[in-house]
Structures are given as C-alpha cells and as structure tokens.
Amino acid sequence: MSKKDDIIKERIPRHIAIIMDGNGRWAKKQGLARMFGHRQGVTTVHNITEAAAEIGIEYLTLYAFSTENWNRPKEEVDALMALLVDTIAKETPTLMKNNVKLLTIGDVDRLPKATRDKFLGCIEQTAGNTGLNLVLALSYSSRWEIIEAAKRIAAEVKDGKIAIDEINEAAISEHLTTQGIPDPDLLIRTSGELRISNFLLWQIAYSELYFTDKLWPEFTVEDLYEAIVDYQHRERRFGKTSEQVKS
Ligand code: IPE
Ligand code: IPE
Ligand code: MG
C-alpha cells in the first residue's frame, strides 16, 4: 500500500520547496567521501522530480547550493560544479520526457562558465514545456535576493518609475528572483536540522513547514507522499480563526 493513495487530489500543494540536506552525513555513515553523498542525492532529485510531475505539482523548488556553500573547501565546490554539468547533461532528456520546465532563482553569474552555460542551455531547451516547473536555487540565498531587490527598487524610485507609497507586498514580490512564482505551500527540510539556512525568507511567510530526519540521499517518493498527506491534514488559517476558515 502506497501513501500516494491517501493524497487528496483536490488539495495538492501548488508549490513545494525542499532544503535538500544530509548528503555528506549519508556518505560518512557508509565510510565514503562526501561526493558519494552528493551523487546519491542526484538520484533522489531525479525520483522526486518525476513523482512531483506525475502527481500534478505545479512548482518544485530545490535548494541545491547556497551563497554560503561557496565557503566550503574548494575541492568540494569544484566537484559539485562538475557534478552539476554532468547531471544536467544526463537529466535533460528526462525533463523533456516529463514535460518539465527548468528555472533558476540563483546568482548564476557566480557559477563557473561551464556550469552556467550548461544550466542556461537546459533552461532554454525546456522553456516550452508546460508541466512541472522545476526551480533550482543555485548560488542562492534569501538575503542576497532581498538586497538585490532593494537596490532595484531604490533605483526605480530614483528614476521616478515608482513612488515610495507604491512599495507594497506585491511590489517587493515582483522584484525578487521568484517573481511570478507563487509562494511555497509546503517547505520540507531533510536531515533533522531545524533551520531555514537563508532560504526563501520572504516567500515562506505562510508556508507549512515539514522536517524529517531522513538524509536527502535516503529520502524516497513515499516520504514525499507522506509529507504531502501531513500537509493536507493541517488547517491553514492565515491569521484568521478556525471558525472563519471553516465557514
Ligand atoms: C546538502 O548536503 C547539499 C548541499 C548543501 C550542497 P550537505 O552537503 O550539506 O550534507 P551534510 O549536511 O554535510 O550532511
Ligand atoms: C542548506 O544546507 C543549503 C542547501 C541545502 C543547498 P547547508 O548544509 O548548507 O546548511 P547549514 O550550513 O547546515 O545551515
Ligand atoms: Mg548540510
């Protein structure tokens, strides 16, 4: 029996965001180098993306590499950037087969040229797909994004394109890299860490949070279904009373 059977079709979250954590610890547990964990993590990305597309999720945002991750040992950063090139080459046909459109919300200018070119090439190739939107947060952090938005809004005020009084929630959302993407309904973090690590701070204001001890390489499609079922049994009140929400 699959947890999938418990999913209420009418209440599928539109947008799921995932902090994919625990690759290094997974590798260490089997006495392997950290990169084995990252490679195994790619298999999880493949499986979760296919499952999300299949059940009709509109947006899946995956935190793949943070601004802070640039501070890891150079060998790990280089190996991760090379793994990305490899993965994109291997996975593009799967994205096409599943009608998945690739998007990014990161600072792609910071990526090495080979990684950036492959990545932007895949975004272009999948641009016409109409199924799941797979949003990769690569060289991303929320504070970076908010700083960029603040600079652009300030410049527009200076140029008289927008008045100070016109700066509202919508205006800020439109200046973030997630512009046009609905806020996540559900945020999942694997590996037992109970923190957000600079991910989508503005956008998760009202997201439902789900933490699991499973390390990312061992996170399965059944675990995804379980998180969705858990989400579907929560009452999202958005500041209102339970009675208001029910009526
Ligand atoms: C998540 O796994 C992947 C990236 C941040 C690139 P980690 O590499 O953070 O694995 P742990 O947390 O050290 O186990
Ligand atoms: C968060 O994981 C970033 C990604 C999953 C890409 P980290 O492993 O970098 O986060 P911290 O350092 O434990 O907060
Ligand atoms: Mg980690």
Side-chain angles (χ1 to χ4, degrees):
M1 180 114 178
S2 168
K3 272 271 169 195
K4 191 179 175 190
D5 303 325
D6 297 336
I7 295 176
I8 307 160
K9 307 255 177 332
E10 299 72 34
R11 291 191 57 192
I12 298 272
R14 229 183 134 193
H15 183 176
I16 298 180
I18 309 183
I19 303 175
M20 311 184 288
D21 198 14
N23 292 352
R25 275 164 285 166
W26 181 85
K28 200 171 171 190
K29 250 186 10 185
Q30 8 256 315
L32 299 168
R34 293 178 57 82
M35 276 318 290
F36 283 90
H38 293 313
R39 267 183 231 122
Q40 193 59 38
V42 171
T43 305
T44 306
V45 170
H46 173 100
N47 296 338
I48 296 302
T49 303
E50 272 202 320
E54 204 251 323
I55 60 174
I57 304 287
E58 275 182 66
Y59 294 87
L60 176 67
T61 299
L62 301 178
Y63 202 8
F65 194 85
S66 71
T67 305
E68 289 76 20
N69 289 150
W70 288 115
N71 299 321
R72 289 193 177 191
K74 186 178 184 306
E75 307 78 68
E76 180 165 344
V77 172
D78 290 349
L80 275 170
M81 291 301 141
L83 178 62
L84 271 162
V85 173
D86 248 37
T87 303
I88 293 162
K90 278 205 202 95
E91 294 293 325
T92 304
T94 318
L95 298 184
M96 294 307 291
K97 185 188 93 192
N98 292 303
N99 195 20
V100 177
K101 179 174 175 173
L102 184 68
L103 304 165
T104 182
I105 54 169
D107 185 4
V108 285
D109 292 342
R110 267 188 93 170
L111 299 174
K113 191 177 181 313
T115 309
R116 185 172 59 236
D117 288 352
K118 258 271 173 297
F119 193 45
L120 295 179
C122 182
I123 288 175
E124 209 177 290
Q125 204 181 327
T126 60
N129 290 345
T130 54
L132 172 75
N133 294 283
L134 175 62
V135 185
L136 221 54
L138 201 52
S139 188
Y140 172 88
S141 75
S142 198
R143 287 185 174 181
W144 160 77
E145 168 183 55
I146 290 169
I147 290 165
E148 291 306 305
K151 284 182 189 163
R152 286 178 40 221
I153 292 170
E156 286 173 27
V157 169
K158 194 172 158 221
D159 295 346
K161 288 189 188 131
I162 173 174
I164 287 179
D165 285 346
E166 286 167 351
I167 302 173
N168 52 20
E169 278 197 22
I172 299 215
S173 292
E174 278 159 25
H175 286 80
L176 297 172
T177 55
T178 48
Q179 178 230 337
I181 299 174
D183 288 342
D185 299 296
L186 171 63
L187 172 72
I188 299 172
R189 180 169 191 150
T190 59
S191 92
E193 304 298 353
L194 305 180
R195 54 176 171 264
I196 302 299
S197 300
N198 215 348
F199 192 43
L200 301 174
L201 300 177
W202 170 273
Q203 297 88 340
I204 62 168
Y206 263 110
S207 302
E208 296 297 326
L209 309 182
Y210 183 90
F211 297 98
T212 166
D213 286 337
K214 284 271 184 94
L215 303 170
W216 180 248
E218 60 197 20
F219 187 80
T220 64
V221 166
E222 282 298 316
D223 293 322
L224 174 72
Y225 298 151
E226 197 170 326
I228 294 172
V229 171
D230 187 280
Y231 160 86
Q232 291 185 327
H233 288 88
R234 299 184 190 186
E235 184 180 64
R236 302 185 76 188
R237 290 192 284 277
F238 298 99
K240 294 183 178 172
T241 66
S242 185
E243 289 71 23
Q244 283 177 298
V245 173
K246 285 198 180 83
S247 72

